[in-house]
């Protein structure tokens, strides 16, 4: 195996969450009488956490009105984060192959930890070792805190750790944590966007990533 530890971004890498995220955004905007956003727009806002998402989904909303909007969005998404969400093709087989090979795995996400943990339990509790979401005391990506926290839990060395993600935020996060990065093209960014952001390794399918990791 090339690495003893592989850490994965969640949204756009392991799970296709776009429909549930878009629905939660639009229900929240509708309750406030604000214009709806389409899937393409929401896709472009993802990767930097819930606050960034709603700041871009509702530009011009500020102060306490925005804080209430953000709270409403988080509550809505937490309650509806598993309606349409599912792993991308090949992900389950990839994770089971890594586990069988003795590789340690974990989830790293800018999604609030209150949403990360139910998704981890629902989809990955029997194939992955840990999950770290955004919470107080740990800076969100691209700061390295979440990656370093997972590495500490797993007893992982930087030189034996790979971080897998689908966005420019993931590339910067890996750089800041001092670990290698693999970028996947099935998520929320197009290949050319990833290349412009400095992607060094691109994978179009989970099967291709699995073959690389286990070679």
């Amino acid at each position: 195996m090339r690495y003893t530890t592989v850490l994965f971004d969640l949204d756009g890498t392991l799970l296709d969450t776009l429909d549930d995220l878009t629905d939660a955004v639009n229900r929240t905007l509708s309750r406030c009488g604000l214009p709806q956003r389409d899937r393409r727009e929401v896709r472009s806002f993802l990767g930097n956490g819930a606050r960034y998402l709603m700041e871009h989904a509702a530009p011009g909303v500020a102060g306490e009105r925005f804080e209430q909007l953000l709270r409403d969005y988080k509550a809505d998404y937490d309650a509806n984060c598993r309606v349409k969400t599912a792993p991308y093709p090949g992900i389950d087989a990839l994770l089971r192959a890594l586990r069988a090979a003795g590789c340690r795995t974990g989830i790293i996400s800018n999604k609030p930890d209150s949403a990360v943990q139910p998704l981890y339990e629902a989809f990955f509790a029997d194939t992955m070792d840990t999950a770290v979401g955004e919470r107080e005391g740990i800076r969100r990506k691209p700061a390295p805190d979440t990656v370093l926290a997972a590495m500490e839990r797993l007893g992982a060395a930087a030189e034996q750790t790979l971080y897998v993600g689908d966005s420019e935020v993931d590339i910067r996060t890996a750089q800041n944590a001092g670990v290698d990065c693999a970028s996947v093209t099935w998520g929320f960014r197009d290949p050319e966007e990833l290349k412009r952001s400095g992607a060094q390794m691109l994978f179009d399918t989970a099967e291709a990533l699995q073959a690389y990791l286990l070679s």
Side-chain angles (χ1 to χ4, degrees):
M1 280 192 63
R2 293 177 181 269
Y3 299 92
T4 60
T5 302
V6 182
L7 304 176
F8 293 87
D9 170 58
L10 185 60
D11 295 55
T13 302
L14 293 174
L15 290 179
D16 185 354
T17 56
L18 183 55
D19 284 337
D20 280 339
L21 288 164
T22 301
D23 290 349
V25 166
N26 282 329
R27 283 191 297 266
T28 304
L29 295 175
S30 179
R31 286 192 292 269
C32 295
L34 296 170
Q36 303 282 283
R37 296 290 184 172
D38 62 33
R39 293 174 80 257
R40 179 188 56 80
E41 290 175 306
V42 173
R43 180 177 182 262
S44 72
F45 302 153
L46 297 172
N48 289 278
R51 180 173 292 274
Y52 181 96
L53 168 61
M54 295 310 294
E55 284 174 346
H56 287 73
V61 179
E64 179 52 33
R65 187 184 182 208
F66 175 79
E67 296 303 324
Q68 185 59 54
L69 185 80
L70 181 60
R71 288 192 292 269
D72 289 349
Y73 162 74
K74 288 181 177 179
D76 188 303
Y77 182 71
D78 284 357
N80 298 284
C81 64
R82 292 173 51 195
V83 177
K84 301 175 181 177
T85 288
Y88 285 101
I91 289 297
D92 185 67
L94 165 63
L95 297 176
R96 292 188 185 282
L98 292 177
R99 170 151 288 194
C103 183
R104 294 163 293 191
T105 56
I107 293 168
I108 305 297
S109 180
N110 273 349
K111 189 190 294 293
D113 201 57
S114 59
V116 171
Q117 297 305 325
L119 291 170
Y120 167 68
E121 291 294 332
F123 293 107
F124 305 114
D126 62 341
T127 56
M128 303 188 76
D129 300 304
T130 192
V132 181
E134 181 185 13
R135 65 182 188 273
E136 186 176 353
I138 295 185
R139 295 175 297 169
R140 63 180 176 83
K141 300 181 293 183
D145 299 33
T146 47
V147 171
L148 298 177
M151 289 171 61
E152 183 177 6
R153 289 183 190 178
L154 299 174
E159 64 273 14
Q160 291 295 317
T161 298
L162 178 72
Y163 180 59
V164 181
D166 71 303
S167 76
E168 70 285 352
V169 176
D170 297 311
I171 294 169
R172 295 201 304 271
T173 301
Q175 291 171 343
N176 291 336
V179 301
D180 291 346
C181 183
S183 299
V184 302
T185 62
W186 58 75
F188 298 157
R189 299 291 186 270
D190 297 324
E192 291 307 315
E193 292 180 87
L194 293 168
K195 291 176 184 176
R196 288 195 297 269
S197 298
Q200 299 296 309
M201 293 187 286
L202 287 171
F203 296 91
D204 295 329
T205 66
E207 291 80 8
L209 178 58
Q210 179 177 327
Y212 170 76
L213 290 172
L214 297 180
S215 62

